[in-house]
Amino acid sequence: MTMYVWGYLNEYQQEREEILEAVDSVFGSGNLVWGPRVGQFEEAFAAYHGVAHCAGVDNGTNAILLALLAMGIEPGDEVITVSNTAAPTVLAIDQVGAVPVFVDIDPRTYLMDVEQVAAAITERTRCILPVHLYGQCVDMAPLEALAERHGLQILEDCAQAHGARHHGRVAGSIGRAGAFSFYPTKVLGAYGHGGATITSDPEVDAGMRRLRYYGMEETAYYVVARNGLNARLDEVHAEILRRKLTRLDDYIAGRRAVAARYEEALAGTDLLLPVTAEGNDHVYYVYVVQHPERDRIIEGMRKHDISLNISYPWPVHTQTGFAHFGYREGALPVTEDVAGRIFSLPMYPSLSESDQDRVVDALHKTLASL
């Protein structure tokens, strides 16, 4: 059992009574799919981010996909994003028929290199999709300026940045819309799949609500206004998320405490530790480090019964499932280079100091043996 699973189980044991109470309240109500709790969570989640609207959906992929559709992105439109991301970011773009245009990343933060975006804009560009990766935000001011100058929209991928802030603004509240995943391991996670899109644009919100419900108007059941999906957030996850949302800032504080201990304990090593970009409040969804002997380190840590994760070992543009985009190896040199060196250390709010000490001790021994 990995430490990532331990983190999930630790959280469940700590919050078990309230989680089971939430489940029982939904099951006992008879409203399992289309009751009041989704709306209550949406209202609370929108308020946390200081936006007007939130539409809950069934997963983070559809949060992006439906947002793109609600924003009017059509087949053939270009969406500028990055290849150093989870595949669902790009799958959503592809599934609406749009074309992802990749720019490279900053070698220290692993975030979109915003200086490359201007050169990537063409007459077909309609949207910029920055990925707030690993727990911190892309530098948004240059993107906002480009979007305004060229008449583009911004959709933020916030799947790994719940509660992260950029110059005081919460991730997801900066662009026209922000898409979130509530996969169990996220900073704010459900006990299964879930997602949401937030916006202050009533047109985008109305589109999200229609599209997540087969394309029907919520006030006119069985009347399809446009082709949509069955992609609603269910009541039980909404109620669990609503309750957990009140502890989101506590989860973030716990992750920052773990990150601070790593930074102190690993300061003397030759690992490249996480760098927080100027103006960012990092929430440390994952704690990503870098080393040229990454694979040997991972193998060495297994001998200490510690499994480490890589986010992500294969950039999207190099994967066979995305070969139709026409990118060749070498197209994004920084992305491809760091993909061979990055890996993640165990990171979750309930990681005890003793367990973290065990990770650090094993890592020191492994590094010394290289």
Side-chain angles (χ1 to χ4, degrees), residues 7 31 60 66 70 78 112 141-142 144 157 170 186 195 226 231 257-258 260 270 279 290 300 305 309 343 347:
N31 292 316
L66 297 184
E78 292 180 349
M112 173 183 278
E144 290 179 281
D157 182 342
V170 191
K186 301 300 185 185
R226 63 176 295 187
V258 172
D270 56 354
Q290 186 180 145
D305 198 29
N309 192 39
F343 62 101
M347 166 57 74

Side-chain angles (χ1 to χ4, degrees), residues 136-291:
Q136 67 172 326
C137 296
V138 173
D139 186 7
M140 295 297 293
L143 298 186
E144 290 179 281
L146 283 172
E148 183 175 0
R149 186 180 314 136
H150 295 277
L152 306 177
Q153 304 179 80
I154 296 176
L155 171 61
E156 301 171 66
D157 182 342
C158 308
Q160 301 187 10
H162 304 73
R165 292 178 181 269
H166 179 62
H167 293 288
R169 295 190 289 176
V170 191
S173 68
I174 305 170
R176 191 179 183 196
F180 293 81
S181 166
F182 301 124
Y183 188 78
T185 61
K186 301 300 185 185
V187 180
L188 178 65
Y191 280 75
H193 287 287
T197 299
I198 63 173
T199 183
S200 286
D201 188 321
E203 181 180 348
V204 173
D205 182 63
M208 286 292 304
R209 294 178 182 280
R210 185 182 304 117
L211 289 161
R212 72 178 179 180
Y213 189 57
Y214 309 107
M216 296 179 183
E217 298 289 348
E218 294 180 1
T219 56
Y221 296 149
Y222 307 116
V223 178
V224 175
R226 63 176 295 187
N227 192 7
L229 301 176
N230 178 12
R232 293 165 290 180
L233 180 66
D234 64 57
E235 284 282 288
V236 70
H237 289 309
E239 179 61 13
I240 291 171
L241 287 165
R242 184 186 67 81
R243 297 180 183 220
K244 291 185 66 176
L245 179 60
T246 65
R247 295 187 290 277
L248 176 54
D249 290 342
D250 293 333
Y251 298 149
I252 293 171
R255 290 174 178 273
R256 287 174 175 157
V258 172
R261 292 199 297 268
Y262 274 137
E263 185 172 9
E264 180 179 3
L266 300 174
T269 69
D270 56 354
L271 292 168
L272 179 60
L273 302 182
V275 174
T276 300
E278 181 183 357
N280 275 351
D281 294 326
H282 207 310
V283 298
Y284 296 100
Y285 167 61
V286 284
Y287 192 87
V288 176
V289 300
Q290 186 180 145
H291 195 282

